[in-house]
């Protein structure tokens, strides 16, 4: 059976001869999806909302996919996002934010990008189990933590994804996340739940369709209670990308992530000088040995 031709051409810069765009992406759009893209762009321009440097076709398609190609809902999501960007000061954060406390924060709440998975996606690791609330908020604030999160999302879109795309020869639009819950306590989680919920909301509403895979490892028996609390905040598509694993997680991670890219503490072989959490190793940082 012949494959139906896409209504949109392949995105520029593809050098991987085996690349087949997933549905709803450039190079694999149905006629209605292509029309929705054109209509969304037209409406944004007519209402003077369109920002060329930030609203390329791939970005508009992320918002369309997040709203099942409903043009009005996708437009409302973009309008809300633009308003949030002004209120939160995103452009100012990108230009001037300096997280001087990064090395100290890493001791009490490690959150970092590190190399890539087998599909070329940036690997993002967060170790909630190491969280020490008292020590953390003695050196930073929830506001600065959220500013750092937004700065990292902007860097993810502006630098990390383009570098990963060049490295594999096709568009990379999502990340692969490991959330480590080893030794996490419910009391600690509830003390940081406002930050976690705010972070989840920013990711889902302001940077939609950027989650590729999400591994929750070392999930304790009490996690079912926490998961019940978090799940309603997430849409069905997001929940479907999440794997909840106990302590027997290594084979699952290594099926998705090359051993040389996975930090040793998670069953890989990577041991960056000075620690993987502060190395910022990846295609976006050619000065660091890969």
């Amino acid at each position: 059976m012949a494959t139906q031709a896409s209504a949109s051409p392949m995105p520029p810069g593809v050098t991987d001869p085996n690349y087949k765009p997933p549905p709803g992406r450039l190079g694999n759009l149905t006629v209605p999806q292509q029309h929705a893209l054109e209509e969304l762009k037209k409406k944004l321009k007519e209402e003077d909302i369109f920002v060329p440097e930030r609203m390329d076709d791939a970005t508009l398609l992320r918002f369309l996919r997040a709203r099942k190609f409903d043009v009005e809902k996708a437009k409302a999501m973009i309008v809300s996002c633009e308003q949030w960007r002004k209120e939160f000061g995103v452009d100012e954060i990108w230009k001037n934010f300096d997280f001087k406390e990064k090395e100290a924060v890493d001791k009490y709440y490690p959150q970092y990008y590190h190399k890539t998975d087998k599909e070329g996606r940036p690997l993002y690791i967060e170790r909630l189990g190491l969280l020490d609330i008292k020590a953390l908020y003695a050196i930073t604030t929830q506001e600065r933590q959220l500013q750092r999160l937004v700065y990292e999302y902007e860097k993810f879109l502006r630098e990390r994804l383009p570098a990963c795309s060049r490295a594999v020869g096709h568009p990379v639009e999502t990340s692969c996340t490991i959330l480590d819950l080893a030794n996490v306590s419910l009391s600690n989680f509830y003390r940081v739940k406002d930050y976690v919920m705010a972070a989840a909301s920013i990711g889902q509403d302001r940077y939609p369709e950027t989650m590729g895979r999400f591994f929750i490892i070392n999930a304790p028996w009490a996690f079912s209670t926490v998961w019940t609390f978090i799940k309603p905040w997430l849409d069905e598509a997001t929940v479907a990308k999440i794997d909840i694993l106990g302590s027997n997680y290594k084979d699952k991670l290594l099926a998705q992530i090359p051993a040389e890219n996975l930090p040793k503490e998670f069953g890989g072989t990577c041991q960056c000088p000075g620690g993987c959490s502060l190395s910022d190793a990846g295609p976006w940082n050619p000065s660091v040995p890969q």
Side-chain angles (χ1 to χ4, degrees):
M1 182 175 166
T3 305
Q4 188 176 351
S6 170
S8 74
M10 204 67 121
V14 174
T15 56
D16 175 6
N18 300 314
Y19 174 63
K20 291 183 176 61
R25 272 81 170 175
L26 290 172
N28 190 1
L29 295 179
T30 64
V31 171
Q33 287 172 342
Q34 179 67 28
H35 286 168
L37 174 61
E38 290 164 4
E39 186 185 349
L40 176 60
K41 202 186 302 185
K42 182 167 173 276
K43 284 176 181 285
L44 292 171
K45 286 178 178 177
E46 285 172 352
E47 297 180 32
D48 205 24
I49 303 163
F50 189 72
V51 183
E53 62 270 21
R54 202 165 59 242
M55 297 183 187
D56 60 9
D57 287 355
T59 299
L60 295 181
L61 283 169
R62 283 198 292 107
F63 282 89
L64 280 165
R65 289 196 303 275
R67 291 297 176 261
K68 297 181 170 58
F69 282 87
D70 183 311
V71 173
E72 285 305 321
K73 287 182 179 176
K75 189 187 81 156
M77 191 180 191
I78 289 170
V79 168
S80 174
C81 183
E82 286 301 298
Q83 184 61 33
W84 167 80
R85 289 181 71 90
K86 286 177 189 151
E87 291 169 359
F88 202 83
V90 175
D91 290 338
E92 179 67 21
I93 287 170
W94 173 245
K95 286 176 192 163
N96 297 314
F97 184 69
D98 182 11
F99 199 60
K100 293 186 179 74
E101 62 268 42
K102 180 179 178 180
E103 200 164 327
V105 165
D106 183 67
K107 294 175 189 170
Y108 307 117
Y109 190 4
Q111 302 162 280
Y112 59 99
Y113 284 92
H114 181 266
K115 300 190 177 180
T116 57
D117 73 359
K118 290 181 179 179
E119 294 175 52
R121 294 181 288 215
L123 184 60
Y124 178 72
I125 298 170
E126 191 163 316
R127 303 189 71 182
L128 198 56
L130 293 183
L131 177 65
D132 182 330
I133 287 281
K134 193 173 178 183
L136 180 70
Y137 287 146
I139 53 176
T140 192
T141 63
Q142 179 172 313
E143 182 185 26
R144 282 186 61 76
Q145 281 280 91
L146 288 173
Q147 288 172 338
R148 178 204 187 180
L149 177 86
V150 168
Y151 176 85
E152 289 294 346
Y153 263 124
E154 289 293 308
K155 186 170 183 174
F156 172 75
L157 291 177
R158 296 169 188 249
E159 297 180 4
R160 298 189 202 281
L161 290 183
C164 289
S165 300
R166 289 190 296 271
V168 295
H170 62 73
V172 175
E173 298 185 78
T174 60
S175 61
C176 175
T177 295
I178 298 173
L179 176 61
D180 183 14
L181 298 184
N183 302 315
V184 78
S185 69
L186 273 181
S187 59
N188 242 8
F189 173 79
Y190 282 115
R191 288 172 72 189
V192 80
K193 73 175 175 14
D194 289 345
Y195 167 78
V196 172
M197 292 299 104
S201 177
I202 287 171
Q204 186 167 278
D205 299 336
R206 314 308 181 189
Y207 301 93
E209 295 287 308
T210 54
M211 182 199 294
R213 292 295 300 276
F214 196 115
F215 296 99
I216 298 176
I217 65 170
N218 290 313
W221 65 269
F223 182 69
S224 57
T225 307
V226 178
W227 181 237
T228 303
F229 186 84
I230 297 172
K231 204 171 177 180
W233 286 67
L234 306 173
D235 58 38
E236 286 177 31
T238 301
V239 172
K241 297 170 185 173
I242 297 173
D243 278 296
I244 299 175
L245 309 169
S247 57
N248 190 20
Y249 60 80
K250 289 179 185 174
D251 288 348
K252 197 94 180 215
L253 290 188
L254 289 169
Q256 184 66 40
I257 304 157
E260 62 272 19
N261 289 1
L262 185 64
K264 190 175 182 184
E265 57 265 38
F266 301 115
T269 58
C270 190
Q271 293 178 279
C272 293
C276 293
S277 62
L278 293 171
S279 71
D280 198 26
W284 55 84
N285 195 356
S287 64
V288 177
Q290 302 302 309

